[in-house]
Amino acid sequence: MLDDSTPSRDEPGAHGDRHPARPATLKEIGALAGVSIATVSKALNGRADVSRATRQRVQEAADRLKFTPNSLAQGLLAGRTGTVGLLTNDLEGRFSIPVLMGAEDAFGAGSVSVFLCDARGDAIREQHHIRALLSRRVDGLIVVGDTTNPRVPLAGSIPVPVVYAYAPSSDPRDMSAVNDNVSAGRMAAEHLVACGRTRIAYLSGDPAFTAAGERVAGARAALREHGLDLVGGEALYGEWSEIWGRAGARSLLARHPEVDGIVCGSDQVARGVLDALRELGRHVPNDISVIGHDNWELLVTQSRPQLTTVDSNLQELGRTAARLLGEAIDGRTASGTHTVACRLVVRGSTLGAV
Amino acid sequence: MLDDSTPSRDEPGAHGDRHPARPATLKEIGALAGVSIATVSKALNGRADVSRATRQRVQEAADRLKFTPNSLAQGLLAGRTGTVGLLTNDLEGRFSIPVLMGAEDAFGAGSVSVFLCDARGDAIREQHHIRALLSRRVDGLIVVGDTTNPRVPLAGSIPVPVVYAYAPSSDPRDMSAVNDNVSAGRMAAEHLVACGRTRIAYLSGDPAFTAAGERVAGARAALREHGLDLVGGEALYGEWSEIWGRAGARSLLARHPEVDGIVCGSDQVARGVLDALRELGRHVPNDISVIGHDNWELLVTQSRPQLTTVDSNLQELGRTAARLLGEAIDGRTASGTHTVACRLVVRGSTLGAV
DNA sequence: CTGAAAGCGCTTACAG
DNA sequence: CTGAAAGCGCTTACAG
């Protein structure tokens, strides 16, 4: 019988001996329950061949000692650690955290833990992190880009599966999980057309980003299907900023005052456009409908009016990356680029347009 | 002699056999170099008592096999894993990532790896993550709050040191690393006074946040030292949003048109204030100087003019948290609340004020 | 200077 | 149903 009145070895006063004994081991549980460590292991792992009575006795002893199995030892035996590395360059955490969350979901909370490493755009630091992660025997790696541009694959031969998220690997044989920016652009233009807009212009971002051109291409394709083309014949490129959005909108409206819809390459650009239109006395959405990309909370909910946008579903992207990685770890490799759809989020900047 | 012309067992074609043999072990290196694993271990770990010749032979063999030591095995022996858990509720990653970066710096990249877990404000999920982390035998835990409000300490007796970052633990005996919001508020007001402002108002954020009141208290203290008080006698509270910033500014200016400086509880509020002032025809900084808090890149660089603000030094906060945790892990516990200073960042919204 | 042995905490055949 | 033994990959006294 376990004597519950005896204070357990692991229950110090709340703030007295704060880090008491090292964690309990199978051996100690075995001693307390009067069985061998092999039996403790089986009992705790729910193996069939343990008597009910023994199993219960072991369980009680384990609870008494606040037993937590040592994953290191388990990992050493199993040849698998249940850990993955998430490598990012994302200084602001805008992409990494949603991707991390999606990955946690997909892996099933608890069964897999994620090492997050920020390389800060530094190749040396990236190498350090990779070495450390491999030394910790992660089962796989997710590399999150800070832009949608393809990136060079990790250097050297990595002995575990790697999935590139957001930014694909430039090697098509690698596994990548990315947004479908073409259909995102299509989605944006379709929505403006559905709002009854026919004189639609495009204010894009930095042309050095593949996402910029892809979104424009999608939008133009959609317009063509409706017998339309972009006002001015071309998208205007600048940078991913409100400043550019404001300047671009002024310039656009000066040349093409007839515009009744503007697709913006990002929410930042769109936010600038909204401010400029307000100052030009153009009403959104009555005179002009505006739509952005990204669904960046801070920008879209605080603008006047709130901004309709195309969400990148980053969390879903993370889930997809994690799923791919999981399959590869299990030997069912699905190489190549996997696409995650975006999602229209309608708000005041297009809603109620006449 | 090692024969370099023989392809090593670990060099598959770039995309052929992608995940070749499991990683090399000391045993394999020993076999290749013709020594025992004990000697391999000593040679690779730079122990003194190994002959130069042997050490070199071992090193060559290790390089040949692309040896990476198994941290799990090392951790099992050492009773230390060189890992810490970072527990956050920060959906946007705005705080977690800078804190993570600071922690990586303080720990020294490579020597410590960080598990990042997002509890998403869910106590159950937090428990799951803690169990998983303890199972992985992290050496310590950093708990990052998503607000500056004190939080309840982790439930149960955690067998490793815990440092609370950004949000302190409500138990003063715990280790916490937080901003000094009082002196941040003081800093903001001092700066406006230094700019020659004398009719200074305060537009705060959500009064439910301790940071709101602390910043106000600091600002008032600074003003009093200059024989000033807040215009209107009190700070105006609302929420942490541009919408409130716009509304608050209008209301403030209607009642106190003489205002020549506005301290804002956050950059979001300040951004709203800037927009409202512009629409009211008040020039910033000539008529009115405006200062915010947080130095949130997206907000401060895209506003008109750019926003002077008080940076929270989150990365430094992360370094401090990591340093505290490191000391606690080494047994040199420094309990209590440790404060990280903020930093004034001057931009156009106060610069050049007449 | 080198190596055999014990052991970190666990799991898994294999006997009993 | 239970346990002794081997072993995952490594480090560390301890002999030689």
Side-chain angles (χ1 to χ4, degrees), chain A residues 154-178:
Chain A
L154 297 183
S157 71
I158 309 288
V160 295
V162 180
V163 173
Y164 297 83
Y166 200 63
S169 164
S170 54
D171 186 329
R173 290 165 300 183
D174 288 327
M175 287 182 286
S176 299
V178 300

PDB file of all heavy atoms in Angstrom, chain A residues 154-178:
ATOM      1  N   LEU A 154      19.014  24.483 -48.414  1.00  0.00           N
ATOM      2  CA  LEU A 154      20.027  24.414 -47.364  1.00  0.00           C
ATOM      3  C   LEU A 154      21.292  23.791 -47.928  1.00  0.00           C
ATOM      4  O   LEU A 154      21.240  22.848 -48.722  1.00  0.00           O
ATOM      5  CB  LEU A 154      19.521  23.573 -46.191  1.00  0.00           C
ATOM      6  CG  LEU A 154      18.298  24.101 -45.464  1.00  0.00           C
ATOM      7  CD1 LEU A 154      17.971  23.202 -44.275  1.00  0.00           C
ATOM      8  CD2 LEU A 154      18.506  25.536 -45.015  1.00  0.00           C
ATOM      9  N   ALA A 155      22.411  24.332 -47.500  1.00  0.00           N
ATOM     10  CA  ALA A 155      23.690  23.833 -47.995  1.00  0.00           C
ATOM     11  C   ALA A 155      24.015  22.471 -47.382  1.00  0.00           C
ATOM     12  O   ALA A 155      23.533  22.138 -46.306  1.00  0.00           O
ATOM     13  CB  ALA A 155      24.792  24.831 -47.658  1.00  0.00           C
ATOM     14  N   GLY A 156      24.818  21.714 -48.101  1.00  0.00           N
ATOM     15  CA  GLY A 156      25.238  20.422 -47.574  1.00  0.00           C
ATOM     16  C   GLY A 156      24.108  19.413 -47.663  1.00  0.00           C
ATOM     17  O   GLY A 156      22.975  19.762 -47.971  1.00  0.00           O
ATOM     18  N   SER A 157      24.423  18.153 -47.417  1.00  0.00           N
ATOM     19  CA  SER A 157      23.361  17.163 -47.452  1.00  0.00           C
ATOM     20  C   SER A 157      22.799  17.029 -46.047  1.00  0.00           C
ATOM     21  O   SER A 157      23.494  16.669 -45.107  1.00  0.00           O
ATOM     22  CB  SER A 157      23.898  15.831 -47.961  1.00  0.00           C
ATOM     23  OG  SER A 157      24.723  15.237 -46.997  1.00  0.00           O
ATOM     24  N   ILE A 158      21.539  17.398 -45.902  1.00  0.00           N
ATOM     25  CA  ILE A 158      20.871  17.325 -44.608  1.00  0.00           C
ATOM     26  C   ILE A 158      20.303  15.919 -44.451  1.00  0.00           C
ATOM     27  O   ILE A 158      19.585  15.442 -45.318  1.00  0.00           O
ATOM     28  CB  ILE A 158      19.727  18.357 -44.551  1.00  0.00           C
ATOM     29  CG1 ILE A 158      20.221  19.738 -44.969  1.00  0.00           C
ATOM     30  CG2 ILE A 158      19.102  18.378 -43.180  1.00  0.00           C
ATOM     31  CD1 ILE A 158      21.106  20.406 -43.981  1.00  0.00           C
ATOM     32  N   PRO A 159      20.626  15.261 -43.355  1.00  0.00           N
ATOM     33  CA  PRO A 159      20.235  13.850 -43.207  1.00  0.00           C
ATOM     34  C   PRO A 159      18.790  13.644 -42.793  1.00  0.00           C
ATOM     35  O   PRO A 159      18.411  12.530 -42.484  1.00  0.00           O
ATOM     36  CB  PRO A 159      21.198  13.342 -42.124  1.00  0.00           C
ATOM     37  CG  PRO A 159      21.510  14.552 -41.314  1.00  0.00           C
ATOM     38  CD  PRO A 159      21.462  15.721 -42.243  1.00  0.00           C
ATOM     39  N   VAL A 160      17.999  14.688 -42.740  1.00  0.00           N
ATOM     40  CA  VAL A 160      16.581  14.544 -42.397  1.00  0.00           C
ATOM     41  C   VAL A 160      15.747  15.293 -43.434  1.00  0.00           C
ATOM     42  O   VAL A 160      16.260  16.168 -44.130  1.00  0.00           O
ATOM     43  CB  VAL A 160      16.277  15.101 -40.983  1.00  0.00           C
ATOM     44  CG1 VAL A 160      16.989  14.286 -39.920  1.00  0.00           C
ATOM     45  CG2 VAL A 160      16.650  16.575 -40.887  1.00  0.00           C
ATOM     46  N   PRO A 161      14.475  14.961 -43.522  1.00  0.00           N
ATOM     47  CA  PRO A 161      13.620  15.645 -44.497  1.00  0.00           C
ATOM     48  C   PRO A 161      13.507  17.137 -44.199  1.00  0.00           C
ATOM     49  O   PRO A 161      13.528  17.551 -43.039  1.00  0.00           O
ATOM     50  CB  PRO A 161      12.257  14.968 -44.304  1.00  0.00           C
ATOM     51  CG  PRO A 161      12.542  13.666 -43.649  1.00  0.00           C
ATOM     52  CD  PRO A 161      13.764  13.876 -42.816  1.00  0.00           C
ATOM     53  N   VAL A 162      13.387  17.922 -45.259  1.00  0.00           N
ATOM     54  CA  VAL A 162      13.259  19.375 -45.135  1.00  0.00           C
ATOM     55  C   VAL A 162      12.050  19.832 -45.946  1.00  0.00           C
ATOM     56  O   VAL A 162      11.875  19.419 -47.085  1.00  0.00           O
ATOM     57  CB  VAL A 162      14.509  20.100 -45.678  1.00  0.00           C
ATOM     58  CG1 VAL A 162      14.356  21.615 -45.533  1.00  0.00           C
ATOM     59  CG2 VAL A 162      15.768  19.609 -44.981  1.00  0.00           C
ATOM     60  N   VAL A 163      11.228  20.673 -45.342  1.00  0.00           N
ATOM     61  CA  VAL A 163      10.123  21.288 -46.079  1.00  0.00           C
ATOM     62  C   VAL A 163      10.311  22.799 -46.047  1.00  0.00           C
ATOM     63  O   VAL A 163      10.571  23.370 -44.984  1.00  0.00           O
ATOM     64  CB  VAL A 163       8.756  20.927 -45.457  1.00  0.00           C
ATOM     65  CG1 VAL A 163       7.643  21.712 -46.138  1.00  0.00           C
ATOM     66  CG2 VAL A 163       8.490  19.441 -45.559  1.00  0.00           C
ATOM     67  N   TYR A 164      10.207  23.423 -47.203  1.00  0.00           N
ATOM     68  CA  TYR A 164      10.306  24.877 -47.294  1.00  0.00           C
ATOM     69  C   TYR A 164       8.905  25.462 -47.267  1.00  0.00           C
ATOM     70  O   TYR A 164       8.036  25.000 -48.007  1.00  0.00           O
ATOM     71  CB  TYR A 164      11.034  25.272 -48.577  1.00  0.00           C
ATOM     72  CG  TYR A 164      12.457  24.757 -48.592  1.00  0.00           C
ATOM     73  CD1 TYR A 164      12.747  23.454 -48.984  1.00  0.00           C
ATOM     74  CD2 TYR A 164      13.503  25.556 -48.151  1.00  0.00           C
ATOM     75  CE1 TYR A 164      14.040  22.962 -48.955  1.00  0.00           C
ATOM     76  CE2 TYR A 164      14.808  25.082 -48.118  1.00  0.00           C
ATOM     77  CZ  TYR A 164      15.061  23.773 -48.514  1.00  0.00           C
ATOM     78  OH  TYR A 164      16.333  23.295 -48.471  1.00  0.00           O
ATOM     79  N   ALA A 165       8.695  26.437 -46.403  1.00  0.00           N
ATOM     80  CA  ALA A 165       7.360  27.016 -46.268  1.00  0.00           C
ATOM     81  C   ALA A 165       7.387  28.502 -46.593  1.00  0.00           C
ATOM     82  O   ALA A 165       8.319  29.213 -46.243  1.00  0.00           O
ATOM     83  CB  ALA A 165       6.828  26.804 -44.854  1.00  0.00           C
ATOM     84  N   TYR A 166       6.338  28.949 -47.264  1.00  0.00           N
ATOM     85  CA  TYR A 166       6.155  30.333 -47.674  1.00  0.00           C
ATOM     86  C   TYR A 166       7.078  30.656 -48.859  1.00  0.00           C
ATOM     87  O   TYR A 166       6.597  30.930 -49.934  1.00  0.00           O
ATOM     88  CB  TYR A 166       6.379  31.309 -46.512  1.00  0.00           C
ATOM     89  CG  TYR A 166       5.753  32.658 -46.761  1.00  0.00           C
ATOM     90  CD1 TYR A 166       4.378  32.773 -46.911  1.00  0.00           C
ATOM     91  CD2 TYR A 166       6.519  33.816 -46.871  1.00  0.00           C
ATOM     92  CE1 TYR A 166       3.787  33.997 -47.167  1.00  0.00           C
ATOM     93  CE2 TYR A 166       5.938  35.053 -47.123  1.00  0.00           C
ATOM     94  CZ  TYR A 166       4.580  35.131 -47.271  1.00  0.00           C
ATOM     95  OH  TYR A 166       4.022  36.358 -47.527  1.00  0.00           O
ATOM     96  N   ALA A 167       8.394  30.625 -48.631  1.00  0.00           N
ATOM     97  CA  ALA A 167       9.324  30.721 -49.748  1.00  0.00           C
ATOM     98  C   ALA A 167       9.681  29.304 -50.179  1.00  0.00           C
ATOM     99  O   ALA A 167      10.202  28.531 -49.383  1.00  0.00           O
ATOM    100  CB  ALA A 167      10.582  31.461 -49.337  1.00  0.00           C
ATOM    101  N   PRO A 168       9.415  28.938 -51.438  1.00  0.00           N
ATOM    102  CA  PRO A 168       9.770  27.584 -51.876  1.00  0.00           C
ATOM    103  C   PRO A 168      11.274  27.455 -52.048  1.00  0.00           C
ATOM    104  O   PRO A 168      11.987  28.452 -52.143  1.00  0.00           O
ATOM    105  CB  PRO A 168       9.067  27.478 -53.232  1.00  0.00           C
ATOM    106  CG  PRO A 168       9.013  28.891 -53.737  1.00  0.00           C
ATOM    107  CD  PRO A 168       8.828  29.754 -52.511  1.00  0.00           C
ATOM    108  N   SER A 169      11.749  26.233 -52.081  1.00  0.00           N
ATOM    109  CA  SER A 169      13.137  25.995 -52.477  1.00  0.00           C
ATOM    110  C   SER A 169      13.254  26.241 -53.976  1.00  0.00           C
ATOM    111  O   SER A 169      12.318  25.990 -54.736  1.00  0.00           O
ATOM    112  CB  SER A 169      13.532  24.563 -52.156  1.00  0.00           C
ATOM    113  OG  SER A 169      14.716  24.219 -52.850  1.00  0.00           O
ATOM    114  N   SER A 170      14.402  26.742 -54.371  1.00  0.00           N
ATOM    115  CA  SER A 170      14.592  26.967 -55.802  1.00  0.00           C
ATOM    116  C   SER A 170      14.781  25.646 -56.551  1.00  0.00           C
ATOM    117  O   SER A 170      14.722  25.600 -57.767  1.00  0.00           O
ATOM    118  CB  SER A 170      15.796  27.882 -56.035  1.00  0.00           C
ATOM    119  OG  SER A 170      16.930  27.341 -55.393  1.00  0.00           O
ATOM    120  N   ASP A 171      14.993  24.586 -55.805  1.00  0.00           N
ATOM    121  CA  ASP A 171      15.092  23.262 -56.424  1.00  0.00           C
ATOM    122  C   ASP A 171      13.717  22.595 -56.386  1.00  0.00           C
ATOM    123  O   ASP A 171      13.212  22.262 -55.310  1.00  0.00           O
ATOM    124  CB  ASP A 171      16.115  22.417 -55.671  1.00  0.00           C
ATOM    125  CG  ASP A 171      16.352  21.085 -56.368  1.00  0.00           C
ATOM    126  OD1 ASP A 171      15.413  20.561 -57.007  1.00  0.00           O
ATOM    127  OD2 ASP A 171      17.471  20.559 -56.262  1.00  0.00           O
ATOM    128  N   PRO A 172      13.123  22.394 -57.550  1.00  0.00           N
ATOM    129  CA  PRO A 172      11.742  21.870 -57.578  1.00  0.00           C
ATOM    130  C   PRO A 172      11.607  20.458 -57.012  1.00  0.00           C
ATOM    131  O   PRO A 172      10.499  20.015 -56.726  1.00  0.00           O
ATOM    132  CB  PRO A 172      11.374  21.915 -59.072  1.00  0.00           C
ATOM    133  CG  PRO A 172      12.675  21.963 -59.799  1.00  0.00           C
ATOM    134  CD  PRO A 172      13.666  22.634 -58.895  1.00  0.00           C
ATOM    135  N   ARG A 173      12.733  19.774 -56.842  1.00  0.00           N
ATOM    136  CA  ARG A 173      12.631  18.426 -56.280  1.00  0.00           C
ATOM    137  C   ARG A 173      12.455  18.459 -54.768  1.00  0.00           C
ATOM    138  O   ARG A 173      12.099  17.482 -54.141  1.00  0.00           O
ATOM    139  CB  ARG A 173      13.866  17.611 -56.646  1.00  0.00           C
ATOM    140  CG  ARG A 173      13.926  17.262 -58.133  1.00  0.00           C
ATOM    141  CD  ARG A 173      15.307  16.778 -58.513  1.00  0.00           C
ATOM    142  NE  ARG A 173      16.324  17.800 -58.240  1.00  0.00           N
ATOM    143  CZ  ARG A 173      17.616  17.661 -58.529  1.00  0.00           C
ATOM    144  NH1 ARG A 173      18.042  16.542 -59.089  1.00  0.00           N
ATOM    145  NH2 ARG A 173      18.466  18.634 -58.263  1.00  0.00           N
ATOM    146  N   ASP A 174      12.735  19.614 -54.168  1.00  0.00           N
ATOM    147  CA  ASP A 174      12.530  19.736 -52.729  1.00  0.00           C
ATOM    148  C   ASP A 174      11.044  19.861 -52.428  1.00  0.00           C
ATOM    149  O   ASP A 174      10.245  20.200 -53.289  1.00  0.00           O
ATOM    150  CB  ASP A 174      13.251  20.982 -52.200  1.00  0.00           C
ATOM    151  CG  ASP A 174      14.762  20.799 -52.186  1.00  0.00           C
ATOM    152  OD1 ASP A 174      15.216  19.653 -51.973  1.00  0.00           O
ATOM    153  OD2 ASP A 174      15.490  21.785 -52.399  1.00  0.00           O
ATOM    154  N   MET A 175      10.690  19.591 -51.185  1.00  0.00           N
ATOM    155  CA  MET A 175       9.303  19.785 -50.766  1.00  0.00           C
ATOM    156  C   MET A 175       9.087  21.235 -50.357  1.00  0.00           C
ATOM    157  O   MET A 175       9.843  21.778 -49.559  1.00  0.00           O
ATOM    158  CB  MET A 175       8.993  18.896 -49.564  1.00  0.00           C
ATOM    159  CG  MET A 175       8.866  17.431 -49.898  1.00  0.00           C
ATOM    160  SD  MET A 175       8.432  16.477 -48.432  1.00  0.00           S
ATOM    161  CE  MET A 175       9.995  16.494 -47.559  1.00  0.00           C
ATOM    162  N   SER A 176       8.053  21.832 -50.874  1.00  0.00           N
ATOM    163  CA  SER A 176       7.739  23.211 -50.518  1.00  0.00           C
ATOM    164  C   SER A 176       6.235  23.365 -50.310  1.00  0.00           C
ATOM    165  O   SER A 176       5.445  22.703 -50.978  1.00  0.00           O
ATOM    166  CB  SER A 176       8.188  24.181 -51.616  1.00  0.00           C
ATOM    167  OG  SER A 176       9.588  24.111 -51.828  1.00  0.00           O
ATOM    168  N   ALA A 177       5.872  24.216 -49.383  1.00  0.00           N
ATOM    169  CA  ALA A 177       4.469  24.562 -49.163  1.00  0.00           C
ATOM    170  C   ALA A 177       4.346  26.073 -49.328  1.00  0.00           C
ATOM    171  O   ALA A 177       4.942  26.824 -48.566  1.00  0.00           O
ATOM    172  CB  ALA A 177       4.019  24.141 -47.763  1.00  0.00           C
ATOM    173  N   VAL A 178       3.603  26.489 -50.336  1.00  0.00           N
ATOM    174  CA  VAL A 178       3.536  27.918 -50.645  1.00  0.00           C
ATOM    175  C   VAL A 178       2.109  28.341 -50.957  1.00  0.00           C
ATOM    176  O   VAL A 178       1.231  27.509 -51.201  1.00  0.00           O
ATOM    177  CB  VAL A 178       4.415  28.255 -51.865  1.00  0.00           C
ATOM    178  CG1 VAL A 178       5.863  27.898 -51.607  1.00  0.00           C
ATOM    179  CG2 VAL A 178       3.901  27.533 -53.100  1.00  0.00           C
TER     180      VAL A 178
END
